[in-house]
Amino acid sequence: VANGPENGEKHPLARMILVGVVAAVIGTAITLQIDWFPEPAAGSSDQVDTVYDVLLIASVPIFVLVMTVAIYSVVKFRARPGDMSDGAPIHGNTRLEIFWVTVPFLLVSGLAIYGWIVLNDIEAKEPNELEVKVTGQQFTWTFEYPRERVKSSRLVLPVDRPVHFRVVSKDVIHSFWVPQFRLKTDAVPGLTTRLRLTPDEVGRFDVVCAELCGLGHSTMRQAVRVVPPGEFRSWVAEQRRPAGGGGGGGGAADGKAVFTEAGCGSCHTLGDANASGNVGPNLDELARVARRRKPGTSAEDYVRESIVDPRAFTVRGFPGNVMPTTYRSDLSRQEIDALVEYLLSVSGGGR
Ligand SMILES: [Cu+2]
């Protein structure tokens, strides 16, 4: 590697390294200029961004240097037409081998320790944490505030208060991610993963599933609203009121809330609820379709069966195994009644 053929060239290695170093400096400067992430909105964001910059500074120069030397060598020392000779026999170089094993080992170990220290710091338990249980399922997120006794498909967080997320999954692996908060953790069936952070910007951000989890993966997006503490308290109070009422109700208004809260709109289109999912059948046509779908059953029974036992009948053109089968136990009897009534009424088949 060290010395090229004797073709009059002076110091090919020195020239390669010089070109490589210049390219590495330019490459690093460019990558540090790029805004890789959206505006930060959590207390630990700066530390995460610094880790990312350190990783760029540690990896980009090596990548650019190696690629420059490799490309330079391929061009410079390629076999000319008609040259059938073999290269000089090379037997190993102990010093070089020790060097290229030791340096990456130290570099990677150093970065791992640094990353571990930062993560440990970010994940430290804080006083007065807000507990939030996050449940992923195909294709929606549900958020539960056990101490506040609130369950919602919307994530609302008070600004500047530490949050402790416990993340679980009902079916396959999902990944809970708010890009502005930087941190992300997988939701794994049978496991509870944890995440700690303190939102420090009021605003509305996306909750994104970052693990390919099936047909509706790309629609598995919800919102997180970070609000002043007073607004959070009134939101909690507002959430409790209808839930505490128990039974009674029904009616199209509640059905719409169930539709939204259960995340039906991730997969289904329904104009009345501003939903535009296209993983499952378009529910704007539900009433019309339900009337002739199963002779001998009422439209209500058909819709109810589709919710509690979605495998029983599959609309042609749609996959049969995507709709969660968990609604039978997740929704109360009243909620299912309200949902059925609502769906039939807004899709034009109410009685
Ligand atoms: Cu997912």
Side-chain angles (χ1 to χ4, degrees), residues 59 69 72 110 120-121 190 219 231 234 270 299 307 338:
S59 53
V69 171
Y72 185 93
N120 217 30
D121 190 27
T219 57
E231 199 176 317
S234 50
L270 185 67
I307 296 168

Side-chain angles (χ1 to χ4, degrees), residues 224-301:
V224 49
R225 259 193 317 128
V226 179
V227 298
E231 199 176 317
F232 177 71
R233 277 191 299 273
S234 50
W235 177 78
V236 167
E238 197 180 302
Q239 295 302 304
R240 269 191 202 159
R241 220 172 297 132
D254 287 346
K256 184 172 182 172
V258 174
F259 182 91
T260 316
E261 304 283 296
C264 308
S266 298
C267 295
H268 295 281
T269 291
L270 185 67
D272 187 70
N274 270 329
S276 58
N278 54 12
V279 175
N282 181 340
L283 299 183
D284 282 332
E285 292 158 16
L286 180 66
R288 191 170 55 77
V289 171
R291 241 175 275 127
R292 55 190 166 119
R293 189 53 78 183
K294 271 197 163 180
T297 42
S298 69
E300 281 81 1
D301 286 344

Side-chain angles (χ1 to χ4, degrees), residues 178-340:
V178 178
Q180 283 85 352
F181 293 165
R182 301 295 190 264
L183 299 173
K184 173 168 77 177
T185 192
D186 278 4
V188 184
L191 273 188
T192 299
T193 49
R194 285 149 199 282
L195 207 58
R196 285 193 159 91
L197 55 87
T198 307
D200 63 359
E201 292 287 336
V202 168
R204 193 173 190 284
F205 314 108
D206 277 338
V207 177
V208 181
C209 178
E211 179 68 57
L212 183 58
C213 57
L215 266 183
H217 166 68
S218 62
T219 57
M220 196 167 161
R221 276 171 175 259
Q222 261 138 293
V224 49
R225 259 193 317 128
V226 179
V227 298
E231 199 176 317
F232 177 71
R233 277 191 299 273
S234 50
W235 177 78
V236 167
E238 197 180 302
Q239 295 302 304
R240 269 191 202 159
R241 220 172 297 132
D254 287 346
K256 184 172 182 172
V258 174
F259 182 91
T260 316
E261 304 283 296
C264 308
S266 298
C267 295
H268 295 281
T269 291
L270 185 67
D272 187 70
N274 270 329
S276 58
N278 54 12
V279 175
N282 181 340
L283 299 183
D284 282 332
E285 292 158 16
L286 180 66
R288 191 170 55 77
V289 171
R291 241 175 275 127
R292 55 190 166 119
R293 189 53 78 183
K294 271 197 163 180
T297 42
S298 69
E300 281 81 1
D301 286 344
Y302 168 70
V303 176
R304 186 182 314 273
E305 178 192 77
S306 303
I307 296 168
V308 300
D309 188 11
R311 303 285 180 276
F313 180 84
T314 305
V315 176
R316 202 184 314 142
F318 292 95
N321 56 354
V322 168
M323 169 109 171
T325 51
T326 46
Y327 292 121
R328 177 205 300 269
S329 51
D330 281 357
L331 301 177
S332 70
R333 187 169 202 95
Q334 292 93 331
E335 283 175 320
I336 293 171
D337 289 345
L339 186 55
V340 169

Side-chain angles (χ1 to χ4, degrees), residues 59-88:
S59 53
V60 172
I62 296 175
F63 176 77
V64 175
L65 188 71
V66 169
M67 290 315 289
T68 310
V69 171
I71 293 168
Y72 185 93
S73 304
V74 165
V75 174
K76 186 83 191 163
F77 305 123
R78 70 186 187 278
R80 300 302 193 278
D83 180 1
M84 301 301 281
S85 66
D86 229 340

